[in-house]
Amino acid sequence: NVVNRTLGNRYQVTEKIGMGGMAEVYKATDSTLGRTVAVKVMLPQYASDPNFAARFRQEAQAAANLSSPYIVMEYVRGTDLKTAIQQRGNIHPRKVAEIGSQVCSALSVAHGYDIIHRDIKSANIMVQGDGNVKVMDFGIAQAGHPGMTQDSSVLGTAHYVSPEQAQGKKLTPASDLYSLGIV
């Protein structure tokens, strides 16, 4: 447990705010910049797995151009889409279109850098109080560069994966758009 610990002599962890497939997410205070951040810490059982460790390092490098057992990122106030739907029910079609459009814009930027998210789902779409949307958790994202090994394992959330992802085939930007359509 890292609550009340200081990571990297800089990030004072205050509370656990989320749990993912291979990491826990904590709220922390950046003592250098005096701001609230989110810190993603790899679960110990995955730290010894070279494949998961490589994916985590790739995410860390993409997020902040660093390599460490944790990733510091923007702390986003808001509610993930899955929780919002569970709490408030169906979303008005106009709002659905607005959210979808913002997710498409975010994916367009990622795809422009040849990055496929690979895990678009309602829990990875944050809706902020002002209506702006953020796409979260590029933890299993994969860039189309030769530096990252391609393996045949299927990662992603079963209900949302495209047919080619479920079959372990090469993914394209259309794979993320398929998942967004399911959302």
Side-chain angles (χ1 to χ4, degrees), residues 62 102-120 135-138 141-145 172-174 176-177:
Q102 289 189 50
V103 173
C104 283
S105 292
L107 289 175
S108 179
V109 171
H111 295 158
Y113 286 102
D114 203 21
I115 295 172
I116 309 297
H117 187 285
R118 299 176 58 179
D119 198 20
I120 294 295
V135 177
M136 308 298 287
D137 200 0
F138 277 77
Q142 198 158 27
H145 58 74
T172 69
D176 283 344
L177 297 180

Side-chain angles (χ1 to χ4, degrees), residues 88-111:
R88 293 175 227 146
N90 293 343
I91 299 173
H92 189 279
R94 184 170 286 126
K95 184 65 177 170
V96 170
E98 184 182 313
I99 291 168
S101 175
Q102 289 189 50
V103 173
C104 283
S105 292
L107 289 175
S108 179
V109 171
H111 295 158

Side-chain angles (χ1 to χ4, degrees), residues 10-12 28-37 77:
R10 179 173 177 174
Y11 305 103
Q12 177 62 46
T29 301
D30 179 341
S31 62
T32 302
L33 299 177
R35 65 178 179 166
T36 301
V37 296
R77 294 182 194 279

Side-chain angles (χ1 to χ4, degrees), residues 17 37-38 73-79 126-128 134 136:
I17 57 175
V37 296
M73 57 200 148
E74 175 186 11
Y75 174 67
V76 177
R77 294 182 194 279
T79 306
M126 292 289 290
V127 181
Q128 298 175 283
K134 299 256 184 180
M136 308 298 287

Side-chain angles (χ1 to χ4, degrees), residues 6 11 21 31 42 45 49-50 65 83 93 116 135 140 142 164-165 168 171 173-174 180 182-183:
T6 300
Y11 305 103
S31 62
M42 188 176 0
Q45 63 264 36
D49 183 318
N65 199 23
T83 302
I116 309 297
V135 177
I140 64 169
Q142 198 158 27
E164 63 272 19
Q165 188 168 355
L171 303 185
L180 178 58
I182 298 297
V183 171

Side-chain angles (χ1 to χ4, degrees), residues 14-67:
T14 56
E15 66 181 290
K16 182 176 172 181
I17 57 175
M19 177 80 175
M22 64 179 202
E24 295 175 319
V25 182
Y26 296 89
K27 186 176 178 181
T29 301
D30 179 341
S31 62
T32 302
L33 299 177
R35 65 178 179 166
T36 301
V37 296
V39 179
K40 188 177 204 178
V41 180
M42 188 176 0
L43 293 169
Q45 63 264 36
Y46 295 113
S48 60
D49 183 318
N51 289 327
F52 280 102
R55 289 185 192 283
F56 198 80
R57 277 192 303 278
Q58 179 193 14
E59 182 183 4
Q61 289 165 343
N65 199 23
L66 55 84
S67 180

